[in-house]
Amino acid sequence: MNHIKNYIQENKDRFITELIDLLKIPSISADKAYSNDVVKTAEEVKKRLIEAGAENVEVCATAGHPIVYADKIIDTNLPTVLVYGHYDVQPADPIDLWDSPPFEPVIKKTALHPDGAIFARGACDDKGQMYMHVKAFELMMKTNTLPCNVKFMIEGEEEVGSENLGTFVKQNKAKLKADVIVISDTGIIANDVPSITTGLRGLSYLEVEVTGPNRDLHSGLYGGAVANPINTLAKMIASLTDENNHITIPGFYDKVEELSATERAEMAKAPISDETYIKSLDINAVQGEKGYSSLERVSIRPTLDVNGIWGGYIGEGAKTVLPSKAFAKISMRLVPHQISDEITELFTKHFENIAPKSVKVKVTPHHGGTPYVTPIDFNGYVAAKKAMEETFGKSPIPVRSGGSIPIVALFEQELGLKSVLMGFGLDSDAIHSPNEHYGIFNYLKGIETIPLFFKYFAELK
Ligand code: BES
Ligand code: MN
Ligand code: MN
């Protein structure tokens, strides 16, 4: 498709500059201090959609951060693609570990990105990937090649659980009527190994509090006779997995879908080995549930991880103290057909059961999410596959991802729509970490592939 390549060639510098400008606004959804920047980003996305040729562009207020809606209906008899993405980003901390400030984007070359990558919070997750859709839409509008209707729904709370988007979707079913949802918020295996995500894990996220004595104590006067909540919490957490790295919560695996040997053999063809992890992460060995490969452990198996743990004295020097309380944030990634609320309940009961008499425990659920899988024979997937075959010159491999986008299951439930997870990031792009980046190659490849997805979807529908 020459018009696509030509348009990108002529406009790529502007595409990059525009993304860089968007990345300068710190739209951190988790931190109230950035609320104004979140709204500013929504307004900016609105402006860019109008410039690209969208209609009915609005910033929809919610109980939390706003949702940007836009559409371009060319013919009601034609199919409609609903684009979902998020303009909010994760907090930038630990800020000291960034080589350049997170909201002052810079382009640098890396081994995996010889054409350069944009380093900034949100570069890959998800501003860069979301903005590919705005630019691909501009391309289709300016070259008169938009083959079907399009709607945009870009939210500002994905990184904090998408609660208000859920309400928005339930209240705006007619407005969001479409034939398929397309999302670029996942990745490919490598720049020369294209893949399409066919599954997302669900999530159960909670916080635990362990209380020992009613006040901090002198660890000499009381230590040894009174339970130390940090020691106790550490033991309790350690007992949540056994020597095979199997999760010990009773009932935890009851609903886990077991894949057939054929499916597992199919998965094993993906060029991802233990070595991939060992080399890129500077570890001596991988670790995980016995009986499964690393790729299986991060996709088709559920997990339990401590995301943060604190309590007692962590200031400079030493303070002898037996603290009153200890805390941890724990997440469990879920697979089909585990149910987030059920897992949260199983965890809570178990955690209360294993607590020794000497402490009190409190479990507070945060957000959850339902796992999601797509078939590989529906028209949305087939269109994405054909588009990627054309732009990468290779057939994409279907892979289940370990990450979560909880709202995707709700889209299916409320709108009856399947989502095509056509992302272009790399696992090594450091999303949620310091030095997040997004390859220029990936950004432009996305802008090139999306119009073809539209074309093939409109043809197949
Ligand atoms: N885009 C990610 C999820 C993702 C990344 C899926 C790469 C597959 C491949 C998304 O923004 C994200 O970070 N989701 C959170 C869940 C959310 C409830 C905070 C996650 O997976 O931790
Ligand atoms: Mn994301
Ligand atoms: Mn994210």
Side-chain angles (χ1 to χ4, degrees):
M1 290 285 134
N2 260 334
H3 71 275
I4 299 179
K5 286 211 166 96
N6 290 344
Y7 194 87
I8 293 174
Q9 193 54 37
E10 281 158 24
N11 294 282
K12 65 175 193 225
D13 292 343
R14 177 174 56 84
F15 288 173
I16 294 165
T17 321
E18 285 180 10
L19 173 57
I20 285 177
D21 283 341
L22 200 60
L23 289 166
K24 286 180 185 165
I25 321 173
S27 50
I28 304 170
S29 50
D31 189 340
K32 281 188 201 71
Y34 294 89
S35 296
N36 287 340
D37 291 301
V38 171
V39 173
K40 217 172 123 187
T41 311
E43 292 294 343
E44 192 60 34
V45 172
K46 171 182 169 179
K47 196 178 126 211
R48 310 288 184 92
L49 280 162
I50 294 172
E51 283 166 4
E55 289 165 0
N56 302 309
V57 192
E58 28 171 346
V59 171
C60 310
T62 72
H65 301 312
I67 295 160
V68 185
Y69 173 87
D71 62 36
K72 178 73 193 176
I73 309 298
I74 54 172
D75 180 347
T76 48
N77 292 316
L78 287 171
T80 303
V81 173
L82 174 59
V83 176
Y84 163 79
H86 63 96
Y87 67 80
D88 65 319
V89 303
Q90 284 277 326
D93 58 282
I95 207 119
D96 299 349
L97 298 181
W98 284 77
D99 296 330
S100 55
F103 298 105
E104 293 171 29
V106 289
I107 298 178
K108 282 189 290 188
K109 292 190 164 108
T110 73
L112 293 175
H113 294 297
D115 297 341
I118 305 174
F119 283 75
R121 171 56 84 232
C124 176
D125 185 12
D126 180 42
K127 279 179 180 161
Q129 298 214 61
M130 172 275 286
Y131 203 58
M132 297 181 317
H133 285 272
V134 181
K135 293 299 96 179
F137 170 66
E138 174 198 307
L139 183 157
M140 292 186 278
M141 289 298 290
K142 295 282 148 65
T143 56
N144 279 315
T145 54
L146 182 68
C148 60
N149 307 310
V150 55
K151 295 179 178 176
F152 288 90
M153 177 169 65
I154 313 295
E155 72 153 320
E157 296 190 316
E158 197 280 337
E159 300 293 7
V160 289
S162 302
E163 229 162 273
N164 293 300
L165 182 66
T167 312
F168 180 83
V169 168
K170 287 178 192 164
Q171 289 172 351
N172 290 281
K173 288 190 187 179
K175 186 182 181 125
L176 300 172
K177 194 172 177 306
D179 296 281
V180 74
I181 298 176
V182 63
I183 305 173
S184 296
D185 193 21
T186 53
I188 49 176
I189 294 175
N191 283 355
D192 57 353
V193 189
S195 56
I196 299 177
T197 303
T198 53
L200 294 163
R201 285 197 284 194
L203 191 66
S204 162
Y205 199 113
L206 36 86
E207 192 166 318
V208 299
E209 179 187 303
V210 176
T211 308
N214 59 4
R215 60 188 168 88
D216 283 10
L217 302 173
H218 187 288
S219 65
L221 298 181
Y222 292 92
V226 177
N228 179 322
I230 302 181
N231 294 21
T232 306
L233 175 59
K235 275 192 191 166
M236 290 170 73
I237 289 171
S239 81
L240 294 175
T241 47
D242 67 15
E243 67 282 6
N244 294 324
N245 291 309
H246 229 78
I247 294 155
T248 56
I249 300 167
F252 185 82
Y253 291 98
D254 282 2
K255 294 192 174 168
V256 169
E257 171 200 56
E258 294 291 341
L259 264 67
S260 68
T262 331
E263 270 178 277
R264 289 181 69 185
E266 206 44 48
M267 260 190 91
K269 288 183 189 160
I272 297 175
S273 68
D274 291 355
E275 280 311 304
T276 320
Y277 292 90
I278 291 172
K279 278 214 190 90
S280 66
L281 302 176
D282 256 325
I283 47 178
N284 294 323
V286 293
Q287 183 182 299
E289 189 183 357
K290 197 175 169 186
Y292 295 92
S293 70
S294 292
L295 183 58
E296 289 174 334
R297 289 167 180 168
V298 299
S299 61
I300 60 163
R301 299 300 295 167
T303 58
L304 184 151
D305 275 293
V306 179
N307 298 255
I309 183 163
W310 70 101
Y313 183 68
I314 51 163
E316 213 176 58
K319 178 191 180 195
T320 50
V321 62
L322 193 164
S324 165
K325 283 179 189 292
F327 306 84
K329 289 184 193 283
I330 296 176
S331 67
M332 289 165 283
R333 296 277 171 177
L334 313 178
V335 299
H337 307 281
Q338 289 178 297
I339 297 166
S340 178
D341 288 346
E342 281 180 20
I343 295 294
T344 301
E345 204 179 309
L346 289 178
F347 177 97
T348 307
K349 272 203 194 118
H350 181 64
F351 209 70
E352 286 165 0
N353 272 338
I354 60 172
K357 234 176 148 174
S358 49
V359 299
K360 296 181 198 75
V361 302
K362 194 169 109 191
V363 180
T364 312
H366 278 275
H367 47 72
T370 307
Y372 182 73
V373 269
T374 58
I376 58 170
D377 55 4
F378 83 107
N379 51 10
Y381 185 92
V382 176
K385 179 169 181 262
K386 289 182 74 167
M388 281 183 132
E389 272 166 1
E390 199 163 322
T391 55
F392 284 88
K394 275 184 194 174
S395 199
I397 302 172
V399 277
R400 288 205 201 177
S401 172
S404 309
I405 311 178
I407 202 71
V408 174
L410 188 133
F411 289 157
E412 180 156 47
Q413 186 195 311
E414 296 297 327
L415 302 174
L417 294 178
K418 293 207 186 319
S419 294
V420 181
L421 301 163
M422 190 174 70
F424 294 86
L426 298 182
D427 280 359
S428 53
D429 284 346
I431 64 170
H432 294 207
S433 300
N435 304 313
E436 174 177 354
H437 54 280
Y438 191 41
I440 303 280
F441 167 88
N442 305 69
Y443 180 54
L444 299 177
K445 192 57 93 179
I447 300 173
E448 185 188 346
T449 309
I450 293 163
L452 291 169
F453 166 78
F454 273 74
K455 174 176 174 272
Y456 292 125
F457 184 75
E459 280 173 17
L460 284 166
K461 181 61 194 157

